[in-house]
Amino acid sequence: MPGLLRQEPEQGYHIFERPIESVAVVGAGPSGLPAARHLHEAGFRVRVFERQPYAGGTWTFEPDLPLQPKYPSVPPSIGDFVPSLPPENAEHLPFEKVQKDENSEERKEFSPPNPVYQSLTNNVPTPCMEFKDFPWPEGTEWHVSHTDISKYIQSYAVHFGLNEFTSYRTRVENISQLDPPPGQSQPRWRLTLRRVEDAPADSAKSTWWTEDFDAVVVASGHYGAPFIPKIEGVEAWAERWKDDIIHSRAYRSAEDYTGKTVLIVGTGTSGVDIARDISPHVTKIYQVRRNQLHGPDHYQRQRSFQLKMLPANGEHLPEIKRFLPLSGAEKDLSECRVECTDGRVVGGFDKIIFATGYQYSVPFLSDYHLDPNTLPHSPHQAPDRVLVTSGAGVSNLLRDVFYIPQPTLAFLGLSINTATFSFFEFQGLAITRVWQGWARLPDERGRRKEYERLVEAKGGGRFMHLMGHENEVAYVRETVDWLNADGARVGAPLIEGHSERWLEVKKSLFAALLKKAGLDPKEFGVKDDGEPPARVGDGVDGMIDPGEVKVQKDVERGGKPESIEHAAAANGAPVTVAAAA
Ligand SMILES: Cc1cc2nc3c(=O)[nH]c(=O)nc-3n(C[C@H](O)[C@H](O)[C@H](O)COP(=O)(O)OP(=O)(O)OC[C@H]3O[C@@H](n4cnc5c(N)ncnc54)[C@H](O)[C@@H]3O)c2cc1C
Ligand SMILES: NC(=O)c1ccc[n+]([C@@H]2O[C@H](COP(=O)([O-])OP(=O)(O)OC[C@H]3O[C@@H](n4cnc5c(N)ncnc54)[C@H](OP(=O)(O)O)[C@@H]3O)[C@@H](O)[C@H]2O)c1
């Protein structure tokens, strides 16, 4: 990513009008925890808020199922949850309310069980999913169970004393700016918080209060709001077959599918991993794939690899055009049929799993969301201030981290296709150094220019956040160079970048991933040194010819596949179905 942090002619630096003393961190997952550690060690008064009863983020397995999402998905501003605020007539805070919660629905909505299934292991080797100064135990395998990962994260929180200043079972319901003192523009931030606890007689007790901070780190993850595409008939089917249609976040165990015919929508990582997990147990898998690859080259390359990972009892289907209308006489799901975009009509499924990914959603910053087809009601929804529109990404951030209009608000964990733990720790170090005054940010004009260059180079939506190996390495190198160059001016200790070991292991990620799935890397064109083939389709039999692949740069849903279909239909052009089994 050349050009990041490039100095504009006559560019100045951002001036924080008041020193930052107190920081709130939203989320005690692999992003929030190392940031909390570094901020705390730098002397900030840190508070971490986490809705789960423990640290670990997405990695903690809970056998309970989340509540069914809406089909199709709800708008991103309420994608993760609908904020719950104290009643307007509450005379003072804290305010308490106890309510019946016989089926634990209130508590599940408050903190949904994570999208973790029994067989889940990490897909990035453990040496690359390691926090600084906290090595994995000697002899740890490259791929371990989610339980080991969850333990590793929780031990990190204990080791660095982070639980001392973390408020668990506490959800951030709203974040708003407080007016700055006269003549200043740097606001403080007010967090409205809700703690939910078990109460006697199958009840839940909610307590609301507020806390104010100089700065906020949002590290709330982006796998909480399921994305379910708008396909004709999906709502009626989901309503009728509540127990048989799920989103992948509710997938728990392959045994639940024994002897079934399963339709999986999506061939991303969840779709592929779940297909391979259930394959030995099921009669047949139908897996709906994209009609066309889209996005940057390395994204397409990953997706073509994933297409090749179809299990032997699997068959690809093109995208679904509609779920055919129900007559009401059907006794079970297997009697219903879908129509695919190539005109094929297919049925006989006992279960359907939507492995169609997630939306970016920060409901506690609702004034900074502008859902599609809604009118702005807040100045923060202006194009150069809004954070989330279609749910495909988070806009108006410098380097996926600093909110351009007001860099006392920062985000972690948004980038995709990275070795998450280590990558997000470097971003957390950048936040710490900037807020302690050891590293400088460009002024607002410079931040805006850099962001515009990024969108121009990568496109908007999810591709804005897409790293991939080379971009990830370059991003970290640039971050470390920047922090160390600025740090040298104030005598700050040097930050170490990726180690030689990290770089060596990361290079073989593709080969390791294929071996983990029981596949031969050579069959996928992966070279002896672990490098994947250079171009889409290279070394991958039956994949889409790169010449046919259209790169989309639209800003919605990261190269919005829906728009490919619509555009093709509008032009009367045939929709390409490639590599159908
Ligand atoms: C099925 C699955 C498998 C994955 N496998 C890998 C892998 O193998 N390797 C890899 O590198 N990455 C993997 N990932 C990505 C994974 O998300 C990251 O490893 C990592 O968990 C990201 O950390 P995070 O802290 O940014 O987000 P999360 O882990 O999602 O943590 C965010 C935390 O914020 C809390 N939170 C959210 N909203 C609020 C709120 N309003 N108030 C208070 N707390 C809140 C959540 O409860 C959660 O604890 C996987 C993701 C999924 C879904
Ligand atoms: N450790 C592991 O083994 C493991 C297992 C599961 C998940 N994960 C991680 O979890 C995260 C989420 O992965 P995910 O797979 O759930 O989400 P994802 O990466 O967003 O994948 C969603 C998939 O659904 C496809 N899709 C969307 N709408 C569709 C439609 N209408 N018809 C057909 N396909 C459609 C997408 O296609 P396009 O991409 O073409 O838009 C994409 O392939 C990732 O970080 C992943 O690495 C890791």
Side-chain angles (χ1 to χ4, degrees):
M1 243 177 307
L4 280 175
L5 296 182
R6 192 161 68 192
Q7 189 77 10
E8 293 295 315
E10 294 167 40
Q11 177 192 287
Y13 292 100
H14 182 78
I15 295 166
F16 289 96
E17 291 166 339
R18 290 185 315 281
I20 292 167
E21 289 168 359
S22 58
V23 180
V25 177
V26 187
S31 299
L33 291 172
R37 172 205 162 184
H38 294 298
L39 287 160
H40 178 65
E41 289 178 356
F44 294 100
R45 184 175 70 76
V46 181
R47 289 273 280 147
V48 181
F49 300 104
E50 169 55 58
R51 63 184 170 186
Q52 301 192 76
Y54 27 65
T58 231
W59 282 102
T60 312
F61 176 79
E62 289 146 296
D64 265 6
L65 301 183
L67 302 176
Q68 267 284 26
K70 290 268 186 276
Y71 296 77
S73 38
V74 295
S77 67
I78 50 166
D80 192 356
F81 62 89
V82 179
S84 163
L85 300 172
E88 275 179 17
N89 60 1
E91 280 182 6
H92 53 79
L93 298 178
F95 177 82
E96 283 184 11
K97 187 171 129 191
V98 177
Q99 66 186 94
K100 270 277 175 215
D101 189 29
E102 276 160 1
N103 302 322
S104 297
E105 291 204 352
E106 176 75 16
R107 281 164 284 182
K108 272 193 186 174
E109 188 279 336
F110 177 79
S111 178
N114 288 310
V116 175
Y117 38 94
Q118 277 174 0
S119 67
L120 182 72
T121 59
N122 51 313
N123 56 11
V124 174
T126 42
C128 297
M129 280 177 74
E130 183 168 283
F131 299 125
K132 282 180 185 291
D133 311 317
F134 199 69
W136 284 88
E138 192 76 31
T140 301
E141 301 285 336
W142 277 21
H143 300 285
V144 296
S145 138
H146 54 78
T147 319
D148 296 327
I149 299 173
S150 169
K151 269 192 212 147
Y152 173 74
I153 305 168
Q154 288 177 3
S155 312
Y156 181 87
V158 172
H159 181 81
F160 289 103
L162 309 179
N163 293 331
E164 309 296 314
F165 48 87
T166 300
S167 182
Y168 288 106
R169 298 178 194 276
T170 303
R171 191 167 82 181
V172 178
E173 301 287 345
N174 188 57
I175 300 182
S176 59
Q177 294 190 14
L178 296 171
D179 286 340
Q184 291 192 9
S185 60
Q186 182 179 319
R188 298 191 82 218
W189 300 90
R190 171 157 297 169
L191 272 60
T192 304
L193 302 153
R194 180 165 71 120
R195 188 175 164 83
V196 170
E197 294 157 291
D198 299 340
D202 288 333
S203 299
K205 182 174 98 175
S206 291
T207 309
W208 286 266
W209 76 102
T210 60
E211 292 188 31
D212 299 343
F213 295 90
D214 296 320
V216 179
V217 178
V218 176
S220 55
H222 53 96
Y223 299 121
F227 169 69
I228 297 174
K230 216 183 213 163
I231 302 175
E232 188 183 324
V234 70
E235 190 176 0
W237 278 46
E239 182 59 31
R240 177 76 180 82
W241 310 113
K242 283 195 174 72
D243 296 334
D244 299 321
I245 300 182
I246 61 162
H247 182 267
S248 59
R249 74 167 177 165
Y251 173 74
R252 291 291 178 273
S253 158
E255 280 77 29
D256 300 341
Y257 295 81
T258 304
K260 308 280 185 211
T261 293
V262 184
L263 175 71
I264 299 177
V265 186
T267 54
T269 314
S270 294
V272 166
D273 208 41
I274 292 172
R276 298 194 70 79
D277 197 31
I278 61 175
S279 167
H281 303 264
V282 300
T283 309
K284 165 106 186 167
I285 298 166
Y286 289 98
Q287 191 159 18
V288 178
R289 47 156 298 157
R290 283 297 195 195
N291 292 345
Q292 224 174 348
L293 293 180
H294 64 111
D297 213 44
H298 63 101
Y299 185 79
Q300 297 189 21
R301 191 165 62 194
Q302 182 192 344
R303 292 297 185 223
S304 22
F305 268 86
Q306 290 172 324
L307 283 172
K308 185 97 194 288
M309 293 169 83
L310 182 73
N313 57 348
E315 177 180 340
H316 278 139
L317 293 178
E319 284 176 29
I320 298 174
K321 185 173 172 203
R322 58 185 182 132
F323 292 81
L324 290 179
L326 303 173
S327 70
E330 299 88 355
K331 290 202 186 55
D332 56 49
L333 174 60
S334 66
E335 293 173 32
C336 308
R337 303 277 175 274
V338 298
E339 182 186 338
C340 299
T341 45
D342 65 350
R344 227 184 304 175
V345 172
V346 193
F349 326 117
D350 303 302
K351 299 275 179 192
I352 300 180
I353 303 173
F354 278 89
T356 39
Y358 296 83
Q359 310 191 69
Y360 286 82
S361 169
V362 280
F364 45 90
L365 281 160
S366 61
D367 280 352
Y368 300 74
H369 264 270
L370 183 62
D371 289 333
N373 309 316
T374 58
L375 292 172
H377 64 262
S378 142
H380 306 301
Q381 294 168 325
D384 61 350
R385 309 184 85 79
V386 71
L387 287 170
V388 182
T389 52
S390 71
V394 182
S395 313
N396 290 310
L397 302 181
L398 177 74
R399 293 174 75 70
D400 277 2
V401 175
F402 295 97
Y403 180 48
I404 291 172
Q406 187 42 261
T408 54
L409 175 64
F411 290 75
L412 280 177
L414 303 181
S415 312
I416 51 174
N417 278 34
T418 65
T420 53
F421 291 36
S422 52
F423 187 76
F424 299 144
E425 184 165 13
F426 284 111
Q427 292 186 326
L429 276 165
I431 293 173
T432 307
R433 291 248 162 150
V434 166
W435 287 352
Q436 72 184 144
W438 288 6
R440 297 166 299 180
L441 282 184
D443 62 16
E444 186 163 353
R445 191 173 68 96
R447 297 196 290 276
R448 174 71 46 203
K449 283 250 174 251
E450 191 166 319
Y451 175 68
E452 284 165 1
R453 273 198 298 272
L454 176 88
V455 175
E456 175 62 29
K458 288 183 148 188
R462 79 149 67 177
F463 299 136
M464 195 164 55
H465 302 307
L466 184 70
M467 290 289 154
H469 182 67
E470 281 165 24
N471 285 335
E472 174 178 14
V473 171
Y475 182 109
V476 169
R477 198 175 43 237
E478 284 169 11
T479 302
V480 170
D481 288 351
W482 157 49
L483 299 182
N484 284 338
D486 275 10
R489 300 168 58 251
V490 292
L494 282 181
I495 292 172
E496 269 184 43
H498 283 139
S499 66
E500 286 303 319
R501 167 89 173 133
W502 188 99
L503 291 165
E504 187 194 315
V505 173
K506 184 74 193 320
K507 212 174 158 195
S508 49
L509 178 138
F510 258 111
L513 210 52
L514 292 167
K515 281 188 201 149
K516 167 169 111 91
L519 298 163
D520 178 3
K522 290 225 163 56
E523 267 185 36
F524 285 73
V526 176
K527 300 177 195 134
D528 287 339
D529 63 0
E531 283 281 316
R535 295 185 312 136
V536 179
D538 282 6
V540 186
D541 296 336
M543 285 299 111
I544 292 174
D545 170 0
E548 276 183 51
V549 174
K550 193 169 142 197
V551 176
Q552 298 284 313
K553 280 205 172 171
D554 52 347
V555 291
E556 289 173 282
R557 241 205 111 62
K560 195 181 178 196
E562 294 95 316
S563 69
I564 298 174
E565 199 189 315
H566 294 161
N571 298 335
V575 177
T576 321
V577 180

